[in-house]
Amino acid sequence: MIARLAHLCIHVQDVNRSIDFYSRQLGLPVKFTFEKNGKLNGAYFGCGNNSYIEIFEKPYAERINTSLQHFCFETEDIDAFIADVRSRGVSCTDKSLGCDETWQAWMEDPDGNKFEVHQYTPRSFQHQGGVAVVNW
């Protein structure tokens, strides 16, 4: 049921420096950016074949773990995915629409590593571009 790894999320110290690195130095296209309280807070980079790297600026003192925040799997039917894993006794949040207009649900592995499963919508920023306003 999992189609591919959708994205990796990385916390960075300086969002502008990281955008420069991933876009200018590595050549990854910026698909869209995130704003928080009217300020640039992150970006989404295309890595080919609908795979992405997501970054958010977050000071080291506020991070839960190291730079890698979570990974995400893409599914074509999030409702069926949630029903399937729950039927096998696996805990999974209800789906919700993220600020990037993509359906998402959250899980964690046995070691407590959180991960996301999401399903793109016709309005997903990953396909449309723009600025997603962070609301969390």
Side-chain angles (χ1 to χ4, degrees):
M1 290 186 62
I2 291 175
R4 69 187 50 83
L5 181 67
H7 71 265
L8 295 174
C9 178
I10 303 169
H11 281 165
V12 300
Q13 193 67 21
D14 181 327
V15 71
N16 290 306
R17 180 181 65 197
S18 294
I19 288 173
D20 179 68
F21 173 78
Y22 285 103
S23 64
R24 191 178 64 76
Q25 295 178 349
L26 293 185
L28 300 178
V30 176
K31 301 301 277 185
F32 65 94
T33 58
F34 294 94
E35 286 183 358
K36 185 172 186 176
N37 300 323
K39 181 182 174 222
L40 178 66
N41 180 253
Y44 223 82
F45 304 91
C47 297
N49 297 323
N50 287 326
S51 292
Y52 304 92
I53 293 175
E54 175 183 54
I55 66 168
F56 288 102
E57 186 173 281
K58 194 161 197 171
Y60 288 117
E62 296 177 16
R63 296 181 189 181
I64 297 170
N65 54 17
T66 60
S67 294
L68 182 63
Q69 182 59 24
H70 71 268
F71 61 90
C72 177
F73 291 118
E74 177 188 348
T75 183
E76 294 180 5
D77 186 340
I78 197 164
D79 295 314
F81 178 87
I82 292 169
D84 181 57
V85 296
R86 286 179 175 172
S87 75
R88 290 184 275 131
V90 179
S91 180
C92 182
T93 68
D94 291 335
K95 76 176 182 183
S96 62
L97 192 62
C99 66
D100 60 357
E101 296 293 326
T102 300
W103 289 112
Q104 59 182 249
W106 290 86
M107 305 170 68
E108 61 181 62
D109 72 12
D111 295 303
N113 295 302
K114 295 182 186 328
F115 64 96
E116 176 183 359
V117 176
H118 79 197
Q119 176 185 343
Y120 296 116
T121 70
R123 294 177 35 186
S124 291
F125 278 73
Q126 290 85 342
H127 302 299
Q128 301 298 320
V131 176
V133 178
V134 176
N135 57 5
W136 35 260

